[in-house]
Amino acid sequence: MGLALRSSNAQCSRIDLRARHGTPLFSDVGFTVGAGSWAHVRGANGAGKTSLLRLLAGLSHPDAGEVRWNGEKIGGEEFRRELMYLGHRAAVKEDLTALENVQFAAEMDGVKISEEQAQEALVRFGLAGREELPVRFLSAGQKRRVLLARTVTRPAKLWILDEPFTALDVKAVDFISHLVADHVKAGGMAVLTSHQSIPLPPGQVVDL
């Protein structure tokens, strides 16, 4: 079980203005993530971190090279079932409650969860007592926690998380770090971006 990237001269023209003019974001990037391991994608603003994660998730395509899952090019139902992708700008629905957001996300993922399971996920993320509040009344950090609750309601082998610690306090960062560490320890895989150091056991580093 593994994820492999072999890409060169990747230009994500739909994301970066410079790339639309033909300037490569990055080139000759190659790495493999196997069961029980994780990777930290690093780079300056504009280096292409989000673009790379979108390539890994199959949301865009490299100009050259390919991304493979279990030896096959990514795509299809099997890969989508095994993938959980949370983008840096992924949004919750402001008019829905925190509970409704978790239930809606599960439904979109094709996962059936009970109201009790959705509530339990929110409680684990420190949102006890806020389950019935419309998300528009929550802070940026609390909204991020609602989004990250998918990690405990969505069974997936591969987690691709773009800046998962954004707007979170120290306690929440520690909780998410332990969640990712437990996922990897159980044989899962993770690819993360973060501008800050990641409090996880050593993983491979991909510098852009």
Side-chain angles (χ1 to χ4, degrees):
M1 184 77 65
L3 173 79
L5 172 75
R6 293 291 181 269
S7 175
S8 63
N9 299 321
Q11 300 173 346
C12 299
S13 59
R14 287 169 293 180
I15 295 173
D16 189 271
L17 180 62
R18 294 173 304 156
R20 284 203 295 269
H21 291 164
T23 302
L25 287 176
F26 46 77
S27 62
D28 298 321
V29 174
F31 66 96
T32 298
V33 178
S37 66
W38 70 283
H40 180 188
V41 178
R42 304 188 309 189
N45 289 337
K49 300 185 298 296
T50 292
S51 300
L52 176 58
L53 264 57
R54 287 179 59 83
L55 291 176
L56 294 177
L59 298 176
S60 57
H61 304 284
D63 290 327
E66 59 188 16
V67 182
R68 289 183 172 270
W69 173 258
N70 291 335
E72 302 291 335
K73 290 185 68 173
I74 61 170
E77 288 298 321
E78 180 185 354
F79 176 69
R80 285 191 287 270
R81 283 196 304 269
E82 300 286 11
L83 169 70
M84 182 185 68
Y85 170 74
L86 295 182
H88 177 45
R89 296 183 179 178
V92 290
K93 293 189 174 295
E94 298 279 336
D95 291 333
L96 298 182
T97 66
L99 183 63
E100 289 169 338
N101 265 279
V102 172
Q103 292 173 311
F104 177 76
E107 183 177 346
M108 293 298 292
D109 287 334
V111 178
K112 292 183 178 181
I113 62 171
S114 65
E115 182 173 317
E116 290 74 18
Q117 289 173 311
Q119 287 178 328
E120 181 182 345
L122 291 170
V123 169
R124 287 188 64 184
F125 278 81
L127 293 169
R130 297 176 174 83
E131 299 95 333
E132 301 294 343
L133 278 177
V135 165
R136 66 178 179 273
F137 295 121
L138 301 181
S139 69
Q142 290 168 337
K143 290 176 183 179
R144 193 68 176 168
R145 293 184 190 208
V146 172
L147 182 68
L148 288 166
R150 286 181 64 191
T151 57
V152 297
T153 61
R154 170 80 164 90
K157 293 282 188 183
L158 172 63
W159 291 3
I160 297 180
L161 310 176
D162 195 358
E163 297 291 343
F165 306 123
T166 296
L168 297 182
D169 58 26
V170 173
K171 184 176 180 180
V173 168
D174 185 63
F175 174 73
I176 297 299
S177 299
H178 279 90
L179 200 65
V180 175
D182 288 345
H183 173 68
V184 171
K185 187 176 181 180
M189 291 159 269
V191 181
L192 317 179
T193 63
S194 179
H195 286 291
Q196 61 196 78
S197 60
I198 300 179
L200 286 172
Q204 66 175 307
V205 174
V206 180
D207 283 315
L208 297 183

